[in-house]
Amino acid sequence: MRKLTMALSAVCLLLGLNQSVVAKESAPVPLNPGVTVAQLAQQVPIHWVSVAQIENSLLGRAPMAVGFDIDDTVLFSSPGFYRGQKEFSPGKQDYLKNPEFWEKMNNGWDDFSMPKEAARNLIAMHLKRGDSIYFVTGRSPTKTETVTQTLQKDFQIPQASVNPVIFAGDQPGQNTKTQWLKDKKIKVFYGDSDGDITAAQDVGARGIRLLRASNSSYQPLPKAGTFGEEVIVNSEY
């Protein structure tokens, strides 16, 4: 009888140990460190604005010259750049210095670019005000281009109000847009890159940031608001 009792005790002990091991093995493993409500509530002190607020700030001001960058500002043009990299320099950025790529990009590949909704609203607002709209891009110039036509169609710009796209190009160590903004007497300039904002500020214009989409081919993403500029809400698309 004593031997039977001891055997049963041993079995119970073994079962208890097994259950403990199983419980430990089945315990959920944390997938991430989690977040506190304080962390969720934390916000970076950025000067956010809406298109309506920008319009309101211009009330009573005479029509003026305003400017827009193109890539990642008014157009989500990553499809063309993605294709260009695959075709001309897979895995490298050399395609951006290849004239063949720019011939393709400036003459048809914007058919795959998507107009940004924030840009539609901004351009419509400035057209209603009677402002002169200029598109100033860092793309390399080519002998021919269809970008002007594409922008006119995408943003429904009347023929009488169309200005040919300005291809400022890219020069190492130089902000090629600055002189163009000065020459065209641009008072408000919209862009997604740091260079767009600093070009505006350098000529005394009001630089306003549109957010670059997180899936843009142009990486790394810039830090919006870093120069104290206004940043448009919901402008990544």
Side-chain angles (χ1 to χ4, degrees):
M1 185 68 178
R2 183 178 180 184
K3 290 182 178 181
L4 179 60
T5 301
M6 291 178 64
L8 288 173
S9 298
V11 171
C12 290
L13 178 60
L14 183 59
L15 288 173
L17 290 172
N18 286 339
Q19 289 175 349
S20 177
V21 170
V22 170
K24 288 182 179 179
E25 289 179 348
S26 62
V29 178
L31 297 178
N32 55 61
V35 64
T36 68
V37 68
Q39 290 172 317
L40 288 172
Q42 185 178 2
Q43 295 292 323
V44 178
I46 292 175
H47 187 178
W48 295 103
V49 293
S50 66
V51 175
Q53 286 174 314
I54 295 171
E55 182 177 18
N56 187 67
S57 72
L58 297 175
L59 288 175
R61 296 191 61 180
M64 63 186 74
V66 301
F68 290 84
D69 168 57
I70 294 178
D71 300 308
D72 283 319
T73 297
V74 299
L75 295 179
F76 179 70
S77 50
S78 286
F81 284 84
Y82 177 73
R83 179 180 175 182
Q85 185 180 47
K86 288 181 67 176
E87 184 169 327
F88 295 106
S89 61
K92 299 179 181 179
Q93 299 297 313
D94 297 352
Y95 74 106
L96 295 172
K97 299 178 181 179
N98 189 330
E100 290 185 59
F101 163 69
W102 291 114
E103 285 291 338
K104 297 282 190 181
M105 193 68 212
N106 293 345
N107 291 276
W109 279 7
D110 273 315
D111 288 345
F112 304 101
S113 298
M114 296 178 63
K116 293 180 66 173
E117 202 59 34
R120 287 188 194 276
N121 295 332
L122 284 167
I123 291 171
M125 179 266 288
H126 282 292
L127 286 173
K128 185 175 69 172
R129 274 183 38 83
D131 295 328
S132 298
I133 296 176
Y134 294 91
F135 295 99
V136 185
T137 176
R139 296 187 186 188
S140 295
T142 49
K143 291 181 180 179
T144 59
E145 59 92 5
T146 59
V147 187
T148 301
Q149 179 184 349
T150 297
L151 294 171
Q152 179 187 3
K153 179 180 63 176
D154 285 345
F155 297 105
Q156 300 179 350
I157 302 173
Q159 183 63 44
S161 301
V162 174
N163 291 303
V165 168
I166 296 170
F167 293 86
D170 179 50
Q171 295 292 333
Q174 179 183 348
N175 194 328
T176 55
K177 296 181 181 180
T178 304
Q179 190 60 46
W180 284 108
L181 301 192
K182 184 177 180 180
D183 291 347
K184 297 300 181 182
K185 297 180 173 58
I186 288 175
K187 301 301 182 185
V188 183
F189 188 65
Y190 299 92
D192 70 293
S193 72
D194 290 351
D196 294 328
I197 303 305
T198 57
Q201 294 178 345
D202 286 346
V203 299
R206 181 181 177 185
I208 302 179
R209 178 100 63 166
L210 278 83
L211 297 172
R212 184 183 301 169
S214 58
N215 61 335
S216 168
S217 60
Y218 190 8
Q219 300 287 333
L221 297 176
K223 294 186 177 180
T226 192
F227 300 106
E229 76 278 6
E230 297 160 279
V231 183
I232 302 177
V233 296
N234 304 320
S235 57
E236 67 276 15
Y237 61 89

